[in-house]
């Protein structure tokens, strides 16, 4: 991931020293598991642990130098580790294993750790959304469908629905975490021909990863599920970002991204205050969806394995977790600094001449004995005149001989329109940690 969208926490999960450190731990645990099974001398396993190199940048450099000769990253890693431990103990490193045993187990370990960070970020985003929802539970605004005024709602209700969706994404992340918290040390085609299952169980227990049946590789539907959870996070964050972008438009201006001292919205136009965070989130969500498509294509491999997935995963797995984590944190910062304009929301609600009450008027006329089609045509006729001539909708209805004025007070009652919104906020109480 380019530095612009990376974070120190996720960098620490996917860095080369972390990756090779995981490989090294898998190798050492496998050696110790073999020792417990009576296959490797116990003293040799202890020497391997004691003389194992530290996985730092210098260690990475030595592996990369060796890879120039082997043209195989795991072989270069094994050669480097064995050389540093030295024979005879070092010869037991990688005993009975194939490259994917090490690489796939370590990769699942990394995905699990990355998912933990994303789950925490989702929890923090939910907390921010719930706070804003409750603060603005009674902040009335117009609800829009197709971009057109529909009926009244509140800004708090809008944000509460966002919180509920992020909570669903958090559950998707938890499910994906379960799917990738697995490992395999079962050899070249998964038959345990050169490594006993108890060694796999030993390593899995120490790493907190569940051994699963596999070919040479862990099945890639698990990785695709991880990528879907990341892409779903992106889609949810984009859903919020697109709404905030629309609400910040000059002619709407109901919310506005924060603008810090010294910030410039445009190099040419000093008046600009653009929704840059929301637009960035929208853009990065497209990358997340593209990565999911690539991950789905990685599920189908030749026979017990090929490496067509490997090059793809080196890019999309770190990048997707980085981006999903980044967009949640970027959105939370956006929301923490969001400028909310209740007066503008009320003004926009009033700008459509009371037309937002057309449905309760329609229903009142039906209750008064008119057929639905008759009532619809009466309301529509007056509504279109209100739009076209800029006249108050209720005044037109009061002047219409086919309308019973006595039903209009209830139909135009804003409190009646919003009286059941508490159901949305009741759902917030069910969001757990």
């Amino acid at each position: 991931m380019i530095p612009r969208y990376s974070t120190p926490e996720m960098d620490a999960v996917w860095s080369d020293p972390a990756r090779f450190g995981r490989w090294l731990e898998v190798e050492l645990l496998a050696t110790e598991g073999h020792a417990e099974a009576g296959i490797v001398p116990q003293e040799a396993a202890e020497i391997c642990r004691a003389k194992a190199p530290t996985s730092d940048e210098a260690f990475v450099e030595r592996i990369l130098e060796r890879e120039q000769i082997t043209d195989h990253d795991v072989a270069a890693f094994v050669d480097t580790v064995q050389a540093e431990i030295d024979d005879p103990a070092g010869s037991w490193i990688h005993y009975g294993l194939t490259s994917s045993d090490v690489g796939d187990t370590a990769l699942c370990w990394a995905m699990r750790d990355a998912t933990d960070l994303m789950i925490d970020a989702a929890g923090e985003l939910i907390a921010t959304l719930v706070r804003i929802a409750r603060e603005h539970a009674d902040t009335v605004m117009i609800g829009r469908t197709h971009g057109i005024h529909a009926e009244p709602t509140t800004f708090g209700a809008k944000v509460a629905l966002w919180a509920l969706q992020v909570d669903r994404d958090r559950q998707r992340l938890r499910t994906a975490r379960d799917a990738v918290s697995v490992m395999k040390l079962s050899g070249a085609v998964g038959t345990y021909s050169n490594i006993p299952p108890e060694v796999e169980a030993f390593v899995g227990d120490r790493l907190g990863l569940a051994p699963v049946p596999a070919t040479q590789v862990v099945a890639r539907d698990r990785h695709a599920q991880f990528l879907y959870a990341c892409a779903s996070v992106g889609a949810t964050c984009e859903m919020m970002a697109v709404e905030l972008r629309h609400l910040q438009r000059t002619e709407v201006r109901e919310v506005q991204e924060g603008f810090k001292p010294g910030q410039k919205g445009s190099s040419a136009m000093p008046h600009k205050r653009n929704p840059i965070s929301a637009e960035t989130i929208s853009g990065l969500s497209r990358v997340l969806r593209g990565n999911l498509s690539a991950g789905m294509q990685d599920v189908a491999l030749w026979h017990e394995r090929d490496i067509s997935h490997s090059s793809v995963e080196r890019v999309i797995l770190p990048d997707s977790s980085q981006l999903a984590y980044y967009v949640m944190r970027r959105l939370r910062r956006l929301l923490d600094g969001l400028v909310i304009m209740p007066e503008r929301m009320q003004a926009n609600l009033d700008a459509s001449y009371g037309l937002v009450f057309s449905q309760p008027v329609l229903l009142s006329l039906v209750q008064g004995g008119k057929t639905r089609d008759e009532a619809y045509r009466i309301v529509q006729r007056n509504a279109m005149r209100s739009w076209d001539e800029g006249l108050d909708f209720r005044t037109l209805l009061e002047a219409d001989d086919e309308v019973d004025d006595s039903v209009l007070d209830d139909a135009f009652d804003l409190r009646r329109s919003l009286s059941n919104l508490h159901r949305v906020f009741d759902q917030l109480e069910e969001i757990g940690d």
Side-chain angles (χ1 to χ4, degrees):
M1 174 52 58
I2 63 173
R4 188 178 188 90
Y5 305 121
S6 64
T7 60
E9 303 93 329
M10 202 63 83
D11 281 344
V13 172
W14 294 106
S15 70
D16 282 341
R19 175 164 61 101
F20 289 127
R22 288 189 177 93
W23 288 10
L24 181 60
E25 184 62 19
V26 172
E27 293 280 8
L28 294 173
L29 287 173
T31 304
E32 291 164 354
H34 277 106
E36 187 168 280
I39 299 170
V40 170
Q42 184 64 42
E43 182 182 5
E46 292 172 0
I47 292 173
C48 286
R49 174 69 69 177
K51 297 181 67 175
T54 299
S55 187
D56 52 19
E57 294 293 348
F59 180 56
V60 172
E61 186 60 33
R62 292 195 296 276
I63 295 170
L64 297 179
E65 289 176 0
R66 180 62 180 168
E67 190 178 354
Q68 295 301 309
I69 299 171
T70 64
D71 206 20
H72 190 296
D73 55 354
V74 177
F77 162 81
V78 172
D79 288 351
T80 303
V81 173
Q82 287 181 335
E84 298 209 14
I85 293 175
D86 203 7
D87 290 331
S91 294
W92 293 106
I93 291 293
H94 206 65
Y95 184 80
L97 302 179
T98 189
S99 299
S100 293
D101 287 331
V102 179
D104 269 17
T105 296
L107 182 59
C108 287
W109 180 1
M111 287 191 289
R112 181 192 64 187
D113 290 355
T115 308
D116 285 338
L117 288 175
M118 290 187 282
I119 290 169
D120 288 345
E124 293 171 355
L125 179 56
I126 290 168
T128 295
L129 290 166
V130 169
R131 173 181 58 78
I132 295 173
R134 288 174 174 157
E135 288 175 357
H136 291 276
D138 299 317
T139 301
V140 179
M141 67 181 299
I142 185 61
R144 298 171 173 89
T145 59
H146 303 277
I148 307 299
H149 282 204
E151 292 196 352
T153 184
T154 71
F155 187 67
K158 182 189 295 286
V159 177
L161 292 173
W162 295 350
L164 294 172
Q165 185 161 332
V166 177
D167 186 48
R168 293 193 295 275
D169 276 320
R170 181 169 60 175
Q171 184 54 47
R172 293 182 187 102
L173 287 166
R174 287 170 173 158
T175 301
R177 184 190 190 278
D178 291 341
V180 300
S181 295
V182 298
M183 52 85 68
K184 62 89 60 179
L185 295 183
S186 50
V189 293
T191 58
Y192 301 95
S193 58
N194 296 296
I195 182 171
E198 55 263 34
V199 174
E200 180 185 65
F202 177 91
V203 176
D205 180 68
R206 299 306 189 275
L207 296 179
L209 300 173
V212 292
T215 60
Q216 189 171 108
V217 297
V218 171
R220 258 45 194 179
D221 64 297
R222 297 176 182 273
H223 304 63
Q225 185 173 351
F226 171 87
L227 290 164
Y228 171 72
C230 294
S232 183
V233 164
T236 294
C237 290
E238 184 184 23
M239 177 268 296
M240 291 181 268
V242 166
E243 179 68 8
L244 294 172
R245 288 166 61 191
H246 280 306
L247 295 181
Q248 185 164 336
R249 288 183 296 125
T250 303
E251 59 271 28
V252 178
R253 203 162 178 263
E254 294 178 355
V255 302
Q256 188 170 269
E257 287 192 17
F259 204 75
K260 65 179 183 287
Q263 184 174 340
K264 293 183 178 182
S266 166
S267 63
M269 296 169 284
H271 74 280
K272 297 296 290 296
R273 293 181 64 167
N274 301 327
I276 57 171
S277 289
E279 290 173 340
T280 297
I281 290 166
S282 287
L284 294 179
S285 71
R286 299 168 191 169
V287 180
L288 284 163
R289 287 192 291 274
N291 287 354
L292 171 60
S293 177
M296 293 296 292
Q297 293 176 68
D298 278 347
V299 174
L301 304 177
W302 285 19
H303 305 299
E304 277 60 55
R305 78 160 302 198
D306 58 54
I307 63 165
S308 60
H309 64 292
S310 177
S311 57
V312 184
E313 290 174 354
R314 290 173 193 267
V315 177
I316 65 174
L317 293 177
D319 281 9
S320 287
S321 55
Q322 280 273 18
L323 291 177
Y325 185 64
Y326 177 86
V327 297
M328 284 190 284
R329 295 187 61 182
R330 181 76 177 262
L331 180 58
R332 186 183 177 216
R333 291 198 302 272
L334 187 167
L335 292 166
D336 281 336
L338 189 67
V339 179
I340 300 167
M341 305 173 182
E343 297 82 5
R344 182 67 178 175
M345 291 178 179
Q346 183 66 54
N348 284 339
L349 174 63
D350 296 338
S352 51
Y353 315 113
L355 289 170
V356 297
F357 297 104
S358 70
Q359 183 174 197
V361 173
L362 166 68
L363 298 179
S364 295
L365 294 180
V366 171
Q367 288 176 345
K370 296 188 182 301
T371 68
R372 181 177 179 86
D373 188 62
E374 289 174 337
Y376 194 101
R377 293 183 183 280
I378 292 169
V379 175
Q380 186 182 53
R381 180 180 70 235
N382 286 281
M384 293 305 100
R385 186 181 173 197
S386 176
W387 269 128
D388 294 341
E389 301 179 27
L391 300 175
D392 180 67
F393 181 48
R394 178 166 181 171
T395 300
L396 291 175
L397 291 169
E398 290 171 343
D400 193 315
D401 292 340
E402 294 188 79
V403 176
D404 179 1
D405 294 358
S406 66
V407 304
L408 296 181
D409 282 345
D410 184 65
F412 280 82
D413 186 352
L414 183 61
R415 291 172 299 177
R416 182 204 57 77
S417 296
L418 304 175
S419 60
N420 291 316
L421 268 182
H422 64 86
R423 288 177 55 82
V424 176
F425 294 95
D426 289 346
Q427 290 290 306
L428 295 181
E429 303 301 325
E430 298 183 15
I431 294 179
D433 295 329

